Amino acid sequence: MTAYNAFYAQSGGVSAVINASACGVIETCRRHDDRIGRVYAGRNGIIGALTEDLIDTTPESDEAIAALRHTPGGAFGSCRYKLKDIESHRRQYERLIEVFKAHDIRYFFYNGGGDSADTCLKVSQLAEHMNYPIQAIHVAKTVDNDLPVTDNSPGFGSVAKYIATSVRETALDVASMCSTSTKVFILEAMGRHAGWIAAAGALASEDNDGPPHIILLPEVPFDRKRLMARIDETVKRCGYCVIVVSEGTRYEDGTFLSDAGNTDAFGHRQLGGVAPTLAGMVKQDLGLKYHWAVADYLQRAARHIASRVDVEQAYAVGQRAVECALEGQNAVMPAIRRDSESPYRWSLFDAPLSEIANQEKFMPREFIREDGFGINELGRRYLRPLIQGEDFPPFENGLPKMAQLALRPVERRLPEFEL
Amino acid sequence: MTAYNAFYAQSGGVSAVINASACGVIETCRRHDDRIGRVYAGRNGIIGALTEDLIDTTPESDEAIAALRHTPGGAFGSCRYKLKDIESHRRQYERLIEVFKAHDIRYFFYNGGGDSADTCLKVSQLAEHMNYPIQAIHVAKTVDNDLPVTDNSPGFGSVAKYIATSVRETALDVASMCSTSTKVFILEAMGRHAGWIAAAGALASEDNDGPPHIILLPEVPFDRKRLMARIDETVKRCGYCVIVVSEGTRYEDGTFLSDAGNTDAFGHRQLGGVAPTLAGMVKQDLGLKYHWAVADYLQRAARHIASRVDVEQAYAVGQRAVECALEGQNAVMPAIRRDSESPYRWSLFDAPLSEIANQEKFMPREFIREDGFGINELGRRYLRPLIQGEDFPPFENGLPKMAQLALRPVERRLPEFEL
């Protein structure tokens, strides 16, 4: 049996565990070197395939590949780039085939979220539409947890654990300062469309009596007056108020809170940042002393506080993707099934990519508290298993040790290509 | 020998390890129960003493007290409140004596920074000026690392480790996204007057070739044109640029960057936040895609990534404070001496409080790079030992477990007192 080569690439916003999936893909390919020759990583996602900018992972030591499991970010570079339709942009697809042919690539593993699943789906169609024998398997990744079909997305559990840990820690800080200083603390979490990440802040307490007292979700229209009344009441009752706000929080009409600064709130433009916008409202309406934090990339890069469940699932979907390819599958994505909640047990199943590409899973209404200021026990029950277990990286000189890759480029065999 | 009671309180901004000092104080007192009776904690610092709002730590189990070592925030509440002069505010001091007498308190342990050291010093003078036999010992704490005399301040090492870890992690994120997305990442660190915390970001790389490429310190006047040129050059050379900015960054004339929005930069007011201000300049001057994060309380509450050296020193200064009291000392603070740098060895010595109160230690000029955009190897050599070692808290259900204290109030014996 001839051994063909594999292409692997990372796409979209990276996460604390996307490299754990890379590790799962590459290690599994190495175990099947009778059927899979070399693993070429695309530099900067699909762009690496189009521009023939390939990295040969073969010279990387087993130790270096193993270290990917505990290294955040995208080791081979990621991209925000979506393939157009085959009909209108045939040349792009011909180019992909040229590159795949030139490097004997017949396995295509694409590691990303919903947009990237669309790219993977289009590549999978090369088989049918352009008669090139490729098997394209998607490897799930998104901190936003908004992929459909799968119970949860690798990458989310770790950012959820980061946010919940940070809320639990900072709430103790605010509680100790509130008698003479800060009364309101606002933490801004990622999630432009779905409130999963902000919702995870709720895990900081066992129930809704403890902090965070308020979570603002994109799924619930923003109501300044109601919110301020709630903050005021919380400070009077508890002495302080901890708020987690999703960056996607918006008004009834869909305007993002962070975009509304021009005409509303302050009468001036905000440079992104829902937390400072909200802090301004707290100052203006209630006159309370506040602090705010914007976690931004900190949250999705925080491999040091990754969820062990998340790391294991990220690795497993990478491993399973290779198995799918070896089984002859195309246009699928290994998805996670929740077999049992307590104790948490999960398994993988192969989901058709057509059901996944370009779709977003929002938080179900039944997870949201009746007052809209957070999630309920049903939501907590869904989230809890995903942050279980620790998987600390090795430390050296007081800091997490990262994978050191040689990233050896593959010699180009084709003319240049304009993107 | 009669056993007198002890008073312990926390003051100023809290840290990831101030409770480790509390643990050191209380555990050491318990080991000397022949000479120290009960340890009363002041609720919200010195305010607890003035208002006779005392917490009896005696009923707390040994396990609960031990758990303070891994619990961030101030378990007994902190305050921003400074005692006035004895001459002009004699009534306050008389009240302190009344409370101390009413509860047989003769040992006073105050856990805080430079301002709090002043309060501790004033209490120590009760002995001389008002003939009350008190021994006041200061327990060093400040994330800002700006206490004089001591080589470093407990609390700083952990925030330094948090910032360095976060920079190392996020730099990998930015590096992987920069080809098609974010080119400039800005992390805002605490430090209103001294740049120690921002400087610690430099530990993310071995030398100044790696990220963070630029650190902005309060010690170096802000020069927009020079900075933008450097960012531009860095992005061209490395593909991306990671910046750590101290919240205290200011113009030549002393105006804080974050306060300057009204008249400069954007022509509108910023709600604090140097990072978004800087991001706006990057957008305006260079048109580069940016992301920014403001760590705020996250950094000083992040016990989950505390430095082991820091935790040990925090505990040790608490322990030594009690020993100082038992030796009959007054108006001293256990300070840290650097005995050796590599390998790092440290010991404690007793420093007179008069040399510590109300003084700030800035970063020495010789630690700062010639170009002003960060620190040099000398600075790194000073900082490196302070972030060594990990001391992960116990986790339960995926989250750090915190101390659960009963916080039993001591029955009041005196009339109320107006602050």
Side-chain angles (χ1 to χ4, degrees), chain B residues 11 27 159 218 319 328 356 392 416:
Chain B
S11 179
E27 288 190 347
V159 70
Q319 178 176 33
I356 287 159
F392 300 116
E416 275 194 37

Side-chain angles (χ1 to χ4, degrees), chain B residues 207-250:
Chain B
D207 53 44
N208 290 329
D209 289 340
H213 308 93
I214 294 168
I215 300 174
L216 299 179
L217 305 163
E219 287 85 353
V220 181
F222 181 75
D223 178 337
R224 179 167 174 168
K225 211 172 144 188
R226 250 188 91 239
L227 172 65
M228 293 300 147
R230 175 59 65 96
I231 294 173
D232 192 43
E233 179 270 316
T234 305
V235 170
K236 279 174 181 144
R237 183 167 43 88
C238 309
Y240 69 105
C241 181
V242 174
I243 303 168
V244 182
V245 58
S246 169
E247 62 175 338
T249 301
R250 64 197 76 180

Side-chain angles (χ1 to χ4, degrees), chain A residues 397, chain B residues 338-346 377 380-382 384-386 388:
Chain A
N397 290 322
Chain B
R338 183 175 297 224
D339 296 317
S340 140
E341 198 147 76
S342 181
Y344 178 54
R345 275 193 299 265
W346 57 275
E377 180 54 23
R380 276 199 177 79
R381 277 221 297 269
Y382 166 79
R384 265 191 208 111
L386 309 181
Q388 295 304 309

Side-chain angles (χ1 to χ4, degrees), chain B residues 21-158:
Chain B
S21 292
C23 179
V25 167
I26 299 170
E27 288 190 347
T28 310
C29 286
R30 287 187 175 191
R31 276 198 295 277
H32 294 93
D33 58 1
D34 54 325
R35 298 188 51 199
I36 301 176
R38 289 171 179 263
V39 180
Y40 294 137
R43 198 186 299 272
N44 304 322
I46 192 71
I47 292 175
L50 287 165
T51 59
E52 204 194 0
D53 194 353
L54 305 177
I55 295 158
D56 189 1
T57 67
T58 318
E60 309 290 353
S61 68
D62 287 346
E63 292 69 32
I65 296 302
L68 285 173
R69 191 175 168 124
H70 58 74
T71 302
F76 305 106
S78 187
C79 70
R80 295 202 181 277
Y81 188 88
K82 226 172 141 172
L83 288 181
K84 306 282 191 331
D85 286 331
I86 293 191
E87 292 73 30
S88 57
H89 288 72
R90 201 172 173 86
R91 182 66 199 107
Q92 274 200 332
Y93 292 84
E94 288 167 354
R95 169 69 176 189
L96 283 180
I97 291 177
E98 287 160 15
V99 172
F100 293 164
K101 267 191 187 155
H103 297 280
D104 265 341
I105 292 167
R106 297 219 181 162
Y107 305 107
F108 180 91
F109 302 106
Y110 210 46
N111 203 166
D115 284 350
S116 314
D118 177 76
T119 292
C120 190
L121 181 61
K122 284 176 175 143
V123 169
S124 77
Q125 293 163 350
L126 292 179
E128 198 186 329
H129 294 313
M130 298 178 75
N131 205 28
Y132 183 78
I134 191 86
Q135 292 169 251
I137 317 287
H138 197 57
V139 184
K141 176 279 324 170
T142 171
V143 295
D144 293 327
N145 203 38
D146 58 359
L147 282 172
V149 184
T150 185
D151 182 66
N152 62 288
S153 307
F156 171 66
S158 292

